[in-house]
Amino acid sequence: MVTVGEGLDKAVQGAFTRPIPKTAGAQMRYLVRQHQRSTRRVAELLGISQRTVKRYVKNQIKTPRPQLADRLEREVRVRWQPQVRAKAKQTAATTGGIMIDVQGRFGYTAAPGSTDDARVRHLTLALPPQHAARLFTAREAGATEDQLRQIAAEALGEVYFRDNGHRAHGLEVELTDLIDLEFEL
C-alpha cells in the first residue's frame, strides 16, 4: 500500500546529486562513518553481530541476506546527503512547492442539497509552498500516516476543490482509499 510518508521521502531522494553506495561493503562503511566509527552501533541498528559488521567493512563478506540487504539500503538511504535533503525541503517549503499525483477515493462533507458521494479521482496538482511546509513539518514531527493523509486531503481540498476560496465554501475533503501517490519537488 502506498503511504504519504514514503511518497515524501521518495520525492526528497529525487534531489540527491550522487547515487547511494551500491555494494554492501561500501554501504556498511558509510553507516560506520555516520555512527562515529562505531561498529557496535551499526550492528545494533541492523540486528547483526559486531563481527559481521567488521567483516563487511573489510569486504570479507560481499553478499548479504535479502532481509539484511533491504535494511542496509534503507538505513543508508535515510542518512544519505542530509544537506541536499534539507535544502530540497527548504526550497519546496518556501518557494517551489510540491507536485502531487494522487489517485484515490475522495469523500466530501458539503452543504445540503449537493452531492457528497465518495468517488475515485486521479489528480495531478502543484501544491503551494505552505502546503509542502505543512507536510514536511508533520513528517519530521513524527505524524502518523492518517495525519499525513489528512493534511494532504486538506491541501487538495483547498487547491483543487475550493479553488483557493473561490468556490465550494464549506466543502471538507477526505482521502479515504489511496490507490497511487507520488510527490515531485
Side-chain angles (χ1 to χ4, degrees):
M1 185 169 137
V2 180
T3 67
V4 176
E6 289 173 356
L8 287 171
D9 291 343
K10 193 173 183 183
V12 172
Q13 291 168 7
F16 288 165
T17 58
R18 293 180 298 151
I20 67 168
K22 299 261 187 250
T23 65
Q27 290 175 347
M28 197 68 74
R29 285 188 289 278
Y30 176 78
L31 283 179
V32 168
R33 276 195 310 273
Q34 292 299 306
H35 287 89
Q36 288 83 31
R37 309 251 184 244
S38 173
T39 54
R40 177 177 293 149
R41 287 186 199 155
V42 175
E44 291 170 358
L45 177 71
L46 297 173
I48 57 177
S49 71
Q50 186 176 358
R51 178 68 187 131
T52 302
V53 171
K54 289 178 181 179
R55 291 173 64 199
Y56 275 109
V57 168
K58 293 179 182 178
N59 278 334
Q60 293 173 343
I61 304 175
K62 296 185 188 243
T63 308
R65 301 181 319 272
Q67 298 89 0
L68 177 59
D70 291 341
R71 263 193 323 251
L72 185 59
E73 183 176 347
R74 186 174 55 247
E75 294 299 331
V76 169
R77 198 172 290 281
V78 166
R79 290 165 179 76
W80 189 247
Q81 292 191 328
Q83 292 174 338
V84 171
R85 182 186 310 266
K87 185 175 180 181
K89 287 179 185 178
Q90 181 67 25
T91 301
T94 57
T95 57
I98 191 167
M99 287 292 294
I100 183 171
D101 181 22
V102 62
Q103 184 176 7
R105 183 172 305 279
F106 290 89
Y108 313 96
T109 304
S114 62
T115 181
D116 61 354
D117 294 336
R119 59 186 96 152
V120 174
R121 291 183 183 248
H122 185 192
L123 304 175
T124 303
L125 299 169
L127 296 180
Q130 67 267 19
H131 296 296
R134 280 188 65 204
L135 283 166
F136 285 125
T137 302
R139 177 73 173 150
E140 290 172 6
T144 66
E145 182 59 27
D146 289 336
Q147 291 169 329
L148 289 172
R149 189 178 290 188
Q150 181 60 35
I151 292 170
E154 289 170 6
L156 290 169
E158 177 68 28
V159 173
Y160 180 76
F161 294 100
R162 290 189 299 275
D163 194 20
N164 293 319
H166 290 95
R167 61 185 168 116
H169 302 287
L171 178 74
E172 294 298 321
V173 178
E174 182 179 333
L175 182 57
T176 54
D177 297 328
L178 196 56
I179 298 168
D180 190 28
L181 175 78
E182 288 184 31
F183 289 101
E184 186 178 318
L185 300 178

